[in-house]
Amino acid sequence: MSHSSSYKSPIAATFTAYDCHCEGDVEKVVVSGLPELPKGTAFQKMKFFRQHHDHIRLFFLREPRGSMIQSVNFIVPSENPEAVAAYIIAEAEEYPEMSGGNTISVATTMLKTGIIPITGPITRFKLEAPAGLIGIECDTADGKVGPVRFINQPAFAYCLNKTIQLPGFGELVVDVGYGGMTYAIVDAQQFGFDLVASEGRRLSDLGQEIKAAAAAQIPVSHPLNHELPGITQTMFVTPIKRAKQGMESRNAVVVSPGRIDRCPCGTGTSARLAVMHAKGEIQEGEQFTHKSLIDSAFTGEIVATTTVGPFSAVVPSVSGRTWITAKCSYILEEDDPYPTGYAISDTWPEMKLSVRPDA
């Protein structure tokens, strides 16, 4: 096959990214190809990215390159002298200030690819999330990257045993906790759920309804950052059981526009630890195992207590594992008719944008 010497590359943009999964949740970590951002905190960089470069999030997360179940992380420089890097977390409908699974994936990917050097049996460093500095401890014995444990920003309970009206159901009691995102926490058993994979679609639909009702009826605002959204997640939980290695429970977090978090959810685990502590169900130093619909597990623990504004708060740690599944060059050709992808309601159940969002 002959090629014309006048051939001109149609590539408009190229990004290097690692596809991975954290305890089952599908995530991407983008390490090159990103635009330069103004100096500032990770939160300020996130806001600038959201305002000026949201097309990149759509490029990665909407079809044909992504899907509703994925999230993406953009590695950017940090001006904080304590942090080795900053990262911007993006999901199908929002830019969370923190995500546990994505944090574990960012830390693991940067270690496995040599961006951050391994320094011994345990490698310690800090990353800057939009929520603030996140301490990382990774098992790197024998030069192999194992479980990652992160120390989250403080988590707290906004309110306990709050009654809301759920259309078609009646009165529903929820707890509201913040762990990097804000959750309406609901007992799964009152709806007859066992929190198994076959319940995913019904959990997603109901979770979206609960979230909308809770957000409308329980307005909350983070006392230190009023720009953070209120309730954006629903977490179904099973009762806490005591086991030999501490306490354990199952959960299913519903992420907009209506899908289940495949991993046990790090910010959800943090919020639940705060609610459990506020109810006297767990003490500092006790181990808590949170399991997902696919039986993957995060291990959580309260490492300290503190306050956030008027709220009693806990400092949670959460640990889990990430596996890299691919190294990719994501390419945008100049004449691609879907540079920001598309969404169809067969897989995007609450479609808010048109099929051609750039039109």
Side-chain angles (χ1 to χ4, degrees):
M1 183 182 294
S2 62
H3 295 273
S4 169
S5 59
S6 62
Y7 174 78
K8 181 178 180 293
S9 171
I11 296 174
T14 304
F15 304 90
T16 302
Y18 292 89
D19 290 358
C20 51
H21 77 84
C22 176
E23 302 292 354
D25 202 51
V26 185
E27 298 160 355
K28 303 174 188 289
V29 179
V30 183
V31 297
S32 73
L34 296 169
E36 186 175 346
L37 303 178
K39 293 186 183 299
T41 65
F43 187 77
Q44 290 167 333
K45 292 174 191 281
M46 178 271 286
K47 290 198 299 178
F48 185 90
F49 194 99
R50 183 175 61 194
Q51 181 177 356
H52 298 281
H53 301 294
D54 192 50
H55 60 280
I56 300 177
R57 175 185 68 90
L58 297 173
F59 170 88
F60 275 103
L61 294 185
R62 295 169 75 121
E63 298 170 55
R65 285 161 287 266
S67 73
M68 186 185 73
I69 67 165
Q70 298 178 352
S71 53
V72 62
N73 302 274
F74 303 113
I75 307 300
V76 297
S78 173
E79 283 77 61
N80 191 311
E82 295 187 59
V84 297
Y87 58 113
I88 297 168
I89 309 153
E91 293 184 346
E93 283 198 355
E94 65 179 313
Y95 288 81
E97 60 270 25
M98 179 55 186
S99 165
N102 283 291
T103 296
I104 293 170
S105 287
V106 167
T108 300
T109 298
M110 295 180 81
L111 283 166
K112 286 185 175 181
T113 59
I115 297 173
I116 296 174
I118 291 173
T119 57
I122 299 178
T123 300
R124 294 182 174 89
F125 54 92
K126 290 182 180 179
L127 294 168
E128 187 190 1
L133 284 175
I134 306 296
I136 302 293
E137 296 180 353
C138 184
D139 180 353
T140 47
D142 301 320
K144 297 180 180 179
V145 180
V148 167
R149 175 177 180 254
F150 69 87
I151 312 299
N152 203 355
Q153 288 288 314
F156 57 90
Y158 276 113
C159 57
L160 305 174
N161 302 315
K162 187 81 169 179
T163 300
I164 64 170
Q165 293 293 325
L166 182 64
F169 180 81
E171 291 189 347
L172 175 65
V173 177
V174 304
D175 300 317
V176 179
Y178 173 86
M181 302 179 77
T182 302
Y183 292 81
I185 303 174
V186 181
D187 178 3
Q189 289 187 328
Q190 62 188 312
F191 296 102
F193 289 121
D194 297 316
L195 299 191
V196 294
S198 61
E199 298 169 339
R201 182 72 264 148
R202 289 181 294 144
L203 284 163
S204 297
D205 293 341
L206 180 59
Q208 289 295 91
E209 294 176 16
I210 293 172
K211 174 169 53 182
Q217 297 172 49
I218 313 175
V220 295
S221 178
H222 195 285
L224 304 184
N225 187 348
H226 298 303
E227 294 185 71
L228 299 182
I231 297 169
T232 62
Q233 309 272 80
T234 298
M235 177 164 52
F236 294 95
V237 298
T238 61
I240 301 160
K241 295 181 179 179
R242 288 200 171 267
K244 288 182 179 179
Q245 294 186 330
M247 285 164 282
E248 61 181 42
S249 174
R250 299 178 71 84
N251 84 84
V253 165
V254 180
V255 182
S256 289
R259 62 95 168 176
I260 297 294
D261 192 335
R262 271 65 175 154
C263 74
C265 191
T267 57
T269 297
S270 298
R272 189 153 189 216
L273 284 168
V275 166
M276 289 167 63
H277 187 264
K279 291 183 172 183
E281 295 171 338
I282 192 170
Q283 302 303 316
E284 187 176 333
E286 291 188 277
Q287 184 171 301
F288 175 61
T289 300
H290 230 182
K291 292 187 176 182
S292 72
L293 290 195
I294 59 171
D295 291 323
S296 58
F298 280 164
T299 301
E301 180 185 338
I302 296 169
V303 299
T305 56
T306 184
T307 57
V308 176
F311 299 103
S312 297
V314 302
V315 178
S317 75
V318 178
S319 63
R321 294 196 66 176
T322 285
W323 292 265
I324 293 175
T325 56
K327 180 182 180 181
C328 305
S329 288
Y330 284 91
I331 293 170
L332 174 64
E333 293 195 88
E334 290 177 346
D335 61 350
D336 189 327
Y338 303 107
T340 55
Y342 53 82
I344 299 176
S345 62
D346 61 343
T347 52
W348 293 75
E350 291 187 6
M351 208 169 57
K352 293 184 177 179
L353 300 175
S354 65
V355 170
R356 288 287 302 275
D358 55 314

